[in-house]
Amino acid sequence: MTWRLASGRTRPEQCGGLSFPVPATAACPPHRGTFRLVQLAGDPAHSTPPRASAAPSAGGTVNDMTGGLLTLFLGGDVMLGRGVDQILPHPGDPELREPTVDDARDYVRLAERVSGPIPQPVSFSWPWGDALAVLDDTAPDARVINLETCVTRSADFMPGKPVHYRMSPGNLPSLGVARPDACALANNHVLDLGRTGLRDTLGALARAGLRAVGAGRDAAQARRPAAIPVPGGRVVVFSCGATSSGIPVGWAATASRPGVDFLPSLSDAVADDLISRVREVKGPGDVVVVSVHWGSNWGYGVDDDQVRFARRLIDGGVDLIHGHSSHHPRPVEVYRGKLVLYGCGDLIDDYEGIGGYEEFRDDLRLLYLASVEPDTGTLDALRMVPMQASRMRLRHASSGDSEWLRAVLEAISSGFGCRVSRLPDGVLVVRPTPACP
């Protein structure tokens, strides 16, 4: 598949104060401007009927680089509510209070219009599709996802919010099949059904044996990290969220109010407060992950304050930044040997058939597998497995789509000194280099 950029601005895209070139074979639409992606004659459009899944081929594989290392699976936004909830075995009330949609089943119909019929009810494993086999094959030592939905039957819709994500507690096994070790909750949808919905979510996760982090019945619980035992130590996960992702200030947990671990700003003082909390719990052999919900939904740029905040955390002892909120992947950085994911993109959602941002190819998803040194948290390699959402189910992306993702990721990450290569099985790889220290 071949693409080119048509017309628009001539200056390079800005990424966290850093400029990067846009290759002729990749799209790099900016936050603002007039770049648009145009398909060259003779190429099949990505909006055509779904292609057959492209399973990994022989050759270099996703499992080739993990010997003696600690491997972390880092998932983007897992949105099992709304339309996805409706196709699972125990759908909840489909009522919505959105400006143009009042029934969650409309999102199912939109997806079917684009990708074909969805057998209903589907199994609990259906939304994960081919991703489950990848996780089984790679056997990561710790699995961290951003769970961006309420788990509740409440109808206490948060006033003033145009979008509400709610899944039935009866469908929670659809999360359990992926066996997450930590579910980050400090995001802009966990209180969509009010504080009753948050309490229900925390209770449902606890009863299912799923560890929540980043939200709680008070500030102490919301700020408490999750500690995942791994060989030689622990993976310690903090979850927090910034207002730039759409989290209302009033959602901050307090001593007497349920809520999320809210970042009032991305200032040095706020970073230092988080660093002090990290130092209180980090022990020998521990790898610390800060899972942070920040930034806008669309665009490849990264704000300067996000770059400064991430780097200050790493300077202070954090080993990995797991950023999310954008609906598609954002740049990758390796700073002082530590991994920064500025935006992992969506992993599971009900967005098929929703138009307006096609140039970002939000149907393409990535499974992030970071292999780090167990004693220092230093990155050895980041492997990203390309997937595609079709009929609300993940399947292996085609070779052409994998190359498209590689070219885009390289374009947007080159300003941070990172190169992206592709293995014969389609897996994308970032390794620390002299330019990416």
Side-chain angles (χ1 to χ4, degrees):
M1 184 179 295
T2 306
W3 303 84
R4 66 179 174 83
L5 288 170
S7 69
R9 72 195 200 182
T10 56
R11 67 184 180 87
E13 165 68 343
Q14 294 296 311
C15 187
L18 303 172
S19 299
F20 58 84
V22 180
T25 56
C28 189
H31 278 299
R32 303 175 182 85
T34 56
F35 274 146
R36 59 189 177 90
L37 196 59
V38 175
Q39 197 170 38
L40 298 183
D43 284 334
H46 70 258
S47 58
T48 53
R51 296 176 295 274
S53 297
S57 59
T61 70
V62 73
N63 289 317
D64 284 351
M65 298 176 288
T66 58
L69 299 168
L70 193 66
T71 299
L72 283 62
F73 164 60
L74 303 158
D77 299 348
V78 175
M79 310 177 82
L80 290 165
R82 212 169 63 173
V84 179
D85 182 63
Q86 293 303 302
I87 66 173
L88 291 168
H90 304 294
D93 187 341
E95 178 190 8
L96 295 176
R97 296 185 185 176
E98 299 180 0
T100 58
V101 179
D102 58 12
D103 191 316
R105 292 167 294 191
D106 288 347
Y107 288 101
V108 180
R109 288 187 277 269
L110 281 172
E112 290 183 319
R113 187 180 304 168
V114 171
S115 302
I118 300 173
Q120 298 178 49
V122 299
S123 68
F124 289 125
S125 63
W126 174 274
W128 299 90
D130 293 339
L132 291 181
V134 173
L135 294 176
D136 286 345
D137 289 345
T138 55
D141 298 282
R143 306 180 184 203
V144 182
I145 58 101
N146 175 52
L147 179 62
E148 200 159 357
T149 188
C150 301
V151 186
T152 181
R153 294 187 180 90
S154 172
D156 184 20
F157 292 92
M158 179 67 72
K161 283 211 80 201
V163 177
H164 301 89
Y165 270 89
R166 172 179 58 174
M167 71 176 292
S168 165
N171 284 331
L172 202 51
S174 190
L175 177 62
V177 296
R179 306 198 304 278
D181 294 294
C183 300
L185 298 184
N187 56 60
N188 61 313
H189 285 293
V190 75
L191 272 84
D192 278 358
L193 277 297
R195 289 186 163 80
T196 297
L198 174 59
R199 292 186 187 96
D200 290 348
T201 301
L202 294 170
L205 292 173
R207 287 190 295 274
L210 297 168
R211 188 183 286 111
V213 60
R217 292 174 175 81
D218 54 31
Q221 185 181 19
R223 291 162 64 95
R224 188 177 303 136
I228 305 162
V230 295
R234 305 175 300 173
V235 173
V236 180
V237 181
F238 290 80
S239 168
C240 49
T243 188
S244 59
S245 69
I247 302 175
V249 174
W251 285 18
T254 68
S256 58
R257 183 181 68 191
V260 303
D261 187 358
F262 180 72
L263 302 174
S265 71
L266 297 180
S267 66
D268 289 351
V270 172
D272 290 345
D273 176 70
L274 184 50
I275 288 168
S276 68
R277 291 159 54 193
V278 168
R279 291 176 175 171
E280 286 177 2
V281 301
K282 187 175 184 181
D286 288 349
V287 172
V288 174
V289 176
V290 170
S291 185
V292 56
H293 206 62
W294 59 6
S296 60
N297 289 336
W298 303 101
Y300 291 118
V302 178
D303 291 342
D304 290 341
D305 59 351
Q306 292 177 250
V307 177
R308 285 194 299 268
F309 192 81
R311 292 177 176 177
R312 193 171 185 91
L313 291 184
I314 288 173
D315 288 340
V318 173
D319 298 300
L320 194 153
I321 306 296
H322 172 222
H324 36 79
S325 178
S326 58
H327 292 316
H328 56 82
R330 281 198 169 130
V332 175
E333 179 179 22
V334 183
Y335 172 70
R336 297 185 64 186
K338 304 299 177 72
L339 177 63
V340 180
L341 300 172
Y342 283 106
C344 291
D346 290 346
L347 187 55
I348 293 174
D349 62 28
D350 61 357
Y351 288 0
E352 286 174 75
I354 302 175
Y357 295 92
E358 290 84 354
E359 67 265 34
F360 294 103
R361 292 299 309 274
D362 64 305
D363 61 315
L364 299 181
R365 317 290 166 83
L366 288 170
L367 306 177
Y368 294 84
L369 295 156
S371 296
V372 302
E373 297 290 343
D375 52 343
T376 65
T378 299
L379 182 71
D380 179 80
L382 169 67
R383 295 161 295 147
M384 298 167 283
V385 183
M387 311 296 289
Q388 183 185 37
S390 177
R391 300 192 299 161
M392 296 190 185
R393 184 176 186 271
L394 296 178
R395 64 184 188 182
H396 290 288
S398 70
S399 176
D401 285 342
S402 295
E403 175 56 26
W404 188 92
L405 275 170
R406 187 210 64 78
V408 169
L409 281 168
E410 173 136 315
I412 64 179
S413 302
S414 62
F416 293 100
C418 288
R419 301 292 304 272
V420 183
S421 61
R422 187 162 70 101
L423 300 179
D425 63 357
V427 173
L428 310 181
V429 180
V430 170
R431 292 181 181 275
T433 67
C436 197

